[in-house]
């Protein structure tokens, strides 16, 4: 079985097709940014992009990926390491506290901004609602997304 992750095709060999994508990413591809949280597809720590859509990977079987493009937190920044405006906003606004959920939070926010570059507050809250943060940094998460949305609205799309 083959899978495309972060722009590269990986041969998984004879893997059980029911293996959750999360464990393929972590155990077979050594991509540890995507986290195991609840294991029941509720908390969002395991969120990745599947063809640009946010998807929880802890229960998603690798066989269901097919030819889709998987993007993990490791694949969001540019190849040269340049952060996206969202990632930079995350840093500038000190969003992360413990950081455990943040990869899933950023991936969900990326999916939102790719689909809707100028979301309203309500659209941000709705898109981020499935993601849990034990540290309660929801206001800072919202503010980082809102900063990028406001930049998009005013045409400040650099970086």
């Amino acid at each position: 079985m083959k899978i495309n992750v972060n722009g590269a095709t990986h041969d998984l060999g004879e893997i059980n097709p029911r293996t959750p994508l999360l464990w393929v990413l972590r155990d077979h591809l050594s991509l540890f940014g995507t986290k195991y949280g609840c294991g029941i597809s509720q908390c969002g720590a395991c969120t990745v992009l599947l063809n640009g859509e946010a998807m929880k990977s802890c229960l998603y079987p690798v066989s269901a990926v097919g030819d889709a493009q998987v993007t993990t937190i490791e694949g969001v920044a540019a190849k040269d390491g340049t952060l996206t405006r969202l990632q930079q906003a995350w840093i500038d606004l000190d969003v992360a506290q413990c950081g455990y959920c943040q990869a899933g939070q950023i991936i969900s926010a990326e999916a939102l901004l790719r689909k809707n570059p100028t979301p309203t507050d309500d659209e941000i809250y709705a898109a981020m609602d499935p993601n849990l943060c034990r540290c309660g940094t929801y206001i800072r998460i919202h503010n980082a997304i809102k900063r990028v949305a406001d930049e998009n609205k005013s045409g400040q799309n650099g970086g």
Side-chain angles (χ1 to χ4, degrees):
M1 179 180 300
K2 293 185 181 195
I3 186 172
N4 189 306
V5 179
N6 298 331
T9 300
H10 302 273
D11 189 344
L12 301 176
E14 295 293 321
I15 192 165
N16 183 330
R18 293 179 305 200
T19 302
L21 176 59
L22 172 65
W23 299 116
V24 170
L25 296 171
R26 293 180 61 80
D27 294 346
H28 296 273
L29 302 180
S30 297
L31 295 170
F32 302 114
T34 306
K35 303 294 188 216
Y36 173 80
C38 65
I40 57 172
S41 200
Q42 296 294 307
C43 73
C46 67
T47 304
V48 298
L49 296 176
L50 188 67
N51 285 340
E53 296 288 326
M55 190 270 308
K56 294 173 185 158
S57 64
C58 67
L59 294 179
Y60 196 81
V62 68
S63 59
V65 172
D67 293 332
Q69 168 64 47
V70 177
T71 304
T72 67
I73 191 66
E74 293 90 348
V76 172
K79 297 283 185 213
D80 69 359
T82 302
L83 299 179
T84 65
R85 289 183 302 119
L86 180 65
Q87 289 173 309
Q88 191 59 56
W90 230 257
I91 292 168
D92 294 346
L93 298 175
D94 290 324
V95 172
Q97 193 163 330
C98 84
Y100 198 83
C101 71
Q102 296 304 303
Q105 300 278 2
I106 290 171
I107 291 288
S108 293
E110 281 285 342
L112 167 64
L113 291 168
R114 289 178 184 189
K115 185 184 295 184
N116 180 0
T118 58
T120 64
D121 287 335
D122 287 342
E123 291 168 330
I124 293 170
Y125 290 127
M128 299 306 292
D129 183 47
N131 293 72
L132 301 178
C133 174
R134 286 180 52 159
C135 301
T137 65
Y138 299 111
I139 302 270
R140 289 183 277 178
I141 290 168
H142 179 272
N143 289 343
I145 298 166
K146 187 70 173 164
R147 173 190 275 189
V148 175
D150 288 347
E151 289 171 0
N152 289 343
K153 203 174 286 183
S154 69
Q156 299 172 6
N157 296 336

